[in-house]
Amino acid sequence: MDDLDKFFSKTKNKKGDSANASYYHIVNPSTNIAVVGAEMTHSFFTNVTTITVGTQHALDPLTTIKARANNAGKASALIQHEWRPKSLFTISGEMDTKSIHKSPKVGLALALKP
């Protein structure tokens, strides 16, 4: 496994009340099409640890899909399309899998850059 296709980092925030570690792996380094990753965050204030895993896949050079889920039951996904250079249209959604009776969140975003 080449060192360029895997990345690991660990940080502590400025106030010192939480620490996190993350890892991501480029599945196909020659095309950079698929990426998987994980992050662990521990809050010293609340003594809660959250583990999040996610993935990203380029459907084509202009369209990307992303998804992630954590151990607290939050799951989210988005599809993002670059319809003009540096201008993005995004549709996203998030739901709490442990509270299925709650309505999921859905979002639309348009980022325009000249």
Side-chain angles (χ1 to χ4, degrees):
M1 192 179 306
D2 187 39
D3 286 285
L4 295 176
D5 65 336
K6 59 182 177 181
F7 299 90
F8 177 77
S9 71
K10 54 186 174 179
T11 59
K12 191 165 103 172
N13 75 355
K14 293 178 184 176
K15 295 180 182 178
D17 64 353
S18 68
N20 67 356
S22 60
Y23 172 84
Y24 75 94
H25 178 78
I26 300 171
V27 177
N28 189 349
S30 63
T31 60
N32 208 18
I33 289 180
V35 177
V36 294
E39 178 183 53
M40 182 181 77
T41 302
H42 179 74
S43 171
F44 298 110
F45 182 71
T46 61
N47 200 28
V48 173
T49 301
T50 304
I51 299 171
T52 305
V53 294
T55 186
Q56 171 181 316
H57 181 74
L59 297 176
D60 59 50
L62 301 174
T63 308
T64 303
I65 56 172
K66 298 178 183 181
R68 68 180 178 185
N70 68 20
N71 63 320
K74 299 278 185 179
S76 59
L78 69 80
I79 184 165
Q80 191 170 59
H81 181 70
E82 184 176 3
W83 60 283
R84 287 180 40 181
K86 300 182 183 179
S87 295
L88 302 170
F89 177 70
T90 305
I91 301 172
S92 62
E94 179 181 274
M95 68 177 296
D96 187 350
T97 60
K98 292 186 177 181
S99 297
I100 202 74
H101 63 280
K102 291 184 181 178
S103 296
K105 298 176 185 177
V106 177
L108 298 172
L110 182 62
L112 301 172
K113 296 186 181 176

